[in-house]
Amino acid sequence: MTDTPRIEVTIAAPIDDVWRALREKDRIRHWHGWDTPGLDDEIDLIYFQSFTEDAQARTLGVQEGDQIVLEPDGDATRVTLTRAPRGVSPEWDAYYDDITEGWTTFLQQLRFYLERQPDAPRRTAFFAGTTAGAQPLLAELGLGDVATRPVGSAYRATLAGEEVTGEVWFRSEHQLGLTADAWGEGLLVIAFVPPGEEKPDGSAMAVLSTFGLDDAAYAELNDRWAAWWSPRYPAPAEPLPGTEA
């Protein structure tokens, strides 16, 4: 990656709605991250401590230098996040690429929230692990063909033992997002980074955002994915920031 990666997402929502989703804590909880005991503290740290904002210009500075800019794009809103260069926060440089990937996930979850689930509370399941010696995640999930389809294409797949249908939501270098009808029109974001010089153990991640599932259905989904995931992508010795739960 370059020293200042840029992530751009166009959201089919008015700019005022997107701005509120970035500045109101109750709304941020609908899309940022995933369910952890520390989610509220994380939201407060990123969006409401050491931040800069210009509400009129619709710009927001967070994470000690990351810049978010909203711009009208017809009836939609273009959201551009530009990372601060490496070295601005040296204590976080070891996680620089992970944070960039995290922003890709979060902005796509923001888009999903505003376009598909603006009023419904979500419940998430989260899985993270290492990839050394493991099969690539997309292939292991049977999504190799799905990952090549254009955004907006319909798909059907068996995911951790469950038949799931939906559409391709987004695709990036390391991530794939799929809507999931079976989860109350939910969203699956999966990421896979093979072992390399900067990340010898590699990394795999799945965020399942569900809507309207009762306790039993949510527990069954979470347990089934945990049983599928754990032997394939074991937890890292030192969890990445935000993945400890």
Side-chain angles (χ1 to χ4, degrees):
M1 293 185 176
T2 64
D3 285 342
T4 54
R6 288 165 53 94
I7 304 163
E8 188 174 297
V9 175
T10 299
I11 301 174
I15 194 168
D16 289 346
D17 290 354
V18 181
W19 182 253
R20 282 194 294 271
L22 285 165
R23 302 312 300 137
E24 296 179 13
K25 290 184 180 181
D26 286 346
R27 296 177 187 266
I28 296 172
R29 289 194 93 264
H30 282 265
W31 60 266
H32 177 88
W34 40 83
D35 296 328
T36 71
L39 179 59
D40 288 335
D41 290 340
E42 179 175 304
I43 289 171
D44 191 61
L45 175 66
I46 293 174
Y47 298 97
F48 299 99
Q49 296 181 25
S50 301
F51 70 95
T52 60
E53 70 173 347
D54 185 331
Q56 184 172 0
R58 296 295 194 255
T59 63
L60 177 66
V62 296
Q63 199 85 9
E64 300 187 41
D66 293 352
Q67 294 293 320
I68 302 172
V69 177
L70 309 187
E71 299 172 287
D73 187 357
D75 293 331
T77 302
R78 183 168 58 254
V79 181
T80 303
L81 184 143
T82 303
R83 294 292 327 277
R86 293 177 190 267
V88 170
S89 299
E91 68 274 18
W92 289 100
D93 276 359
Y95 304 110
Y96 190 89
D97 291 345
D98 298 306
I99 293 170
T100 301
E101 291 295 325
W103 276 122
T104 297
T105 302
F106 298 161
L107 293 184
Q108 288 292 344
Q109 291 179 170
L110 169 64
R111 176 184 158 227
F112 185 83
Y113 158 63
L114 287 165
E115 292 188 5
R116 297 294 179 88
Q117 296 286 7
D119 300 315
R122 68 170 182 163
R123 180 184 282 184
T124 62
F126 175 80
F127 305 94
T130 57
T131 64
Q135 294 296 314
L137 180 54
L138 292 178
E140 192 71 3
L141 282 168
L143 294 173
D145 175 65
V146 173
T148 67
R149 299 179 189 176
V151 171
S153 298
Y155 80 93
R156 178 184 297 272
T158 301
L159 301 178
E162 178 186 23
E163 290 292 324
V164 179
T165 60
E167 67 181 69
V168 179
W169 184 250
F170 80 96
R171 186 173 55 248
S172 68
E173 182 180 1
H174 297 296
Q175 298 190 38
L176 177 69
L178 304 171
T179 68
D181 298 332
W183 307 342
E185 193 181 13
L187 179 68
L188 169 66
V189 178
I190 49 182
F192 182 91
V193 177
E197 184 176 347
E198 292 189 1
K199 192 182 290 293
D201 293 329
S203 65
M205 180 198 76
V207 186
L208 290 65
S209 295
T210 73
F211 300 86
L213 299 188
D214 61 25
D215 289 346
Y218 170 78
E220 191 279 331
L221 177 69
N222 187 75
D223 291 348
R224 180 161 37 79
W225 269 77
W228 183 93
W229 186 277
S230 296
R232 293 171 172 83
Y233 306 102
E238 296 183 6
L240 297 176
T243 69
E244 294 86 350

